Structures are given as structure tokens and as C-alpha cells.
């Protein structure tokens, strides 16, 4: 099936540890996005990438890093510099070039601090 | 920065009732999107609106893109228990640009 796969579903981080969240899509979408969701809040953009080997900071990039070495993959690393990492992380992708191409989301990864 | 306002934070309705949700902004958007999120899952796109004044339906859902381009509404008719979830609006200012999300409305449906 075509879609966006996020893994793992649940992730636990120890203090001072970096962790990496996986996002893979087989939709041949050019653009990929990472959002953070906190209870009662909308989605806030962390990083996005419009094309392979290029990415831009979103609204809350501090304490996070990404890479885009392959079109289908956009992993997010939550570094030890992110002091409040507990949240639900959502990855999205979309086709670019042309109009009317909405973002579609994966099922998320819930990150908790041990 | 840009903000989208959705209120109230929660809505409670009886099964079979219709419900309407608004999304407003002080900024103009060129695209309005409505998503539904179930607990522990990612948002699913319900309706996308691309033209001011556009009225679009998807089954029991109807959404409109406001003429001023600063608002949108979503109507759900004849609600059923599986309509329970969080409904987000999102706006986009230009082709392939970033989305701005509202904080969502949690809908509860009493059987």
C-alpha cells in the first residue's frame, strides 16, 4: 500500500540522549515535513524539505535536526538540547509542482522521557 | 505570526444532530484544509478548498472557503458516533508554502 510510515510508534528517551524518529513515504512526494503536537495545541512545524539534500527550519527547530539524503526518507533527530521533548511527532508529505496538492500525514510517533 | 482561531475547544452533540465549526484568521489564505484526527493517529484530510467562495461536500461533510479568504467553516450533518475526534483547520498562503494550523475542536457525540 502507498503511504507514509512513521516508526517507532512509541519511543522513550533518557536524559541527555539523542533519538531519531523515522519517516518513510512511497508516494513519490517531493516535500516532507515534521510537526510537533502537544495536548490541546495545533501542529507546529519543526523542519521541512522541498527537495532532496535541502531542508529549512520551521517555527520550532531548536533542539532538532534532520537530513534528506533520499526522496523517500526524512528522519528527525531529537537532540539532548531539546529540553521538553515529550510530544506527539507527525510527519507529512506532499507532491509539489502544480496547484492543489495537500499534505498527507503519517500515524505519528509518541516520544516520552524516562 | 499567522494564527488560525478555532473555538470552542470542545463541542458536545447528540447523535443525529448537525454541527458547524468555524475557523477565522486576521490573515488571508489561498488554501483552506480541514483535517480530522483520531486519538493516537495522524490527521486525515477531509476537505480541501482552493477558491474564495468555494463550497465543497464530502459525504455528510460540507466546507466553505470564505469570500474574504480569512475564514472557513465545516458542517457535519446527521452526526454518528464515529464522527468523534479532533477537527483541525489549516491555511496556506501560496502554492507549496507552509501550513498554519488551528488548535482544533474536540467533538463528542452522545448516542
Amino acid at each position: 500500500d502507498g503511504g507514509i510510515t512513521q516508526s517507532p510508534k512509541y519511543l522513550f528517551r533518557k536524559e541527555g540522549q539523542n533519538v531519531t524518529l523515522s519517516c518513510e513515504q512511497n508516494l513519490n512526494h517531493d516535500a516532507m515535513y515534521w510537526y510537533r503536537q502537544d495536548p490541546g495545541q495545533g501542529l507546529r512545524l519543526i523542519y521541512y524539505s522541498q527537495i532532496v539534500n535541502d531542508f529549512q527550519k520551521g517555527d520550532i527547530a531548536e533542539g532538532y535536526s534532520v537530513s534528506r539524503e533520499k526522496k523517500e526518507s526524512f528522519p528527525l533527530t531529537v537532540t539532548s538540547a531539546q529540553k521538553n521533548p515529550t510530544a506527539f511527532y507527525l510527519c507529512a508529505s506532499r507532491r509539489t509542482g502544480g496547484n492543489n496538492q495537500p499534505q498527507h500525514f503519517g500515524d505519528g510517533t509518541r516520544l516520552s522521557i524516562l | 505570526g499567522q494564527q488560525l482561531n478555532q473555538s470552542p475547544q470542545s463541542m458536545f452533540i447528540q447523535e443525529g444532530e448537525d454541527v458547524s465549526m468555524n475557523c477565522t484568521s486576521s490573515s488571508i489564505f489561498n488554501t483552506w484544509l480541514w483535517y480530522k484526527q483520531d486519538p493516537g493517529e495522524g490527521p486525515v484530510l477531509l476537505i480541501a478548498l482552493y477558491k474564495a467562495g468555494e463550497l465543497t461536500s464530502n459525504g455528510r461533510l460540507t466546507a466553505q472557503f470564505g469570500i474574504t479568504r480569512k475564514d472557513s467553516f465545516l458542517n457535519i450533518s446527521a452526526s454518528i458516533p464515529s464522527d468523534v475526534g479532533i477537527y483541525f483547520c489549516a491555511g496556506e498562503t501560496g502554492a507549496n508554502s507552509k501550513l498554519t494550523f488551528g488548535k482544533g475542536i474536540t467533538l463528542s457525540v452522545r448516542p
Side-chain angles (χ1 to χ4, degrees), chain B residues 11-27:
Chain B
M11 300 181 79
F12 300 86
I13 61 173
Q14 199 75 31
E15 183 177 357
E17 287 183 342
D18 300 346
V19 63
S20 183
M21 304 177 189
N22 281 352
C23 188
T24 62
S25 173
S26 57
S27 305

Side-chain angles (χ1 to χ4, degrees), chain A residues 9 37 42 50 94 100 103 106, chain B residues 35 37 40 42 50 92 96:
Chain A
K9 183 71 174 173
Q37 185 178 26
Q50 301 273 46
R94 70 185 298 179
N100 305 349
Q103 291 183 27
Chain B
Y35 290 89
Q37 185 179 30
Y50 299 104
E92 185 175 53
N96 301 324

Side-chain angles (χ1 to χ4, degrees), chain A residues 41-99:
Chain A
Q41 300 295 316
L43 279 62
R44 292 185 290 166
L45 184 64
I46 304 172
Y47 268 99
Y48 64 106
S49 167
Q50 301 273 46
I51 196 169
V52 174
N53 292 323
D54 187 45
F55 48 83
Q56 287 80 40
K57 293 182 179 180
D59 301 316
I60 54 165
E62 187 175 347
Y64 300 97
S65 66
V66 293
S67 63
R68 187 85 188 277
E69 296 177 1
K70 297 186 297 183
K71 187 176 185 178
E72 59 269 23
S73 178
F74 190 39
L76 173 74
T77 297
V78 184
T79 75
S80 57
Q82 172 50 246
K83 297 306 178 189
N84 185 22
T86 298
F88 191 47
Y89 290 87
L90 288 159
C91 177
S93 71
R94 70 185 298 179
R95 194 182 304 279
T96 59
N99 297 322

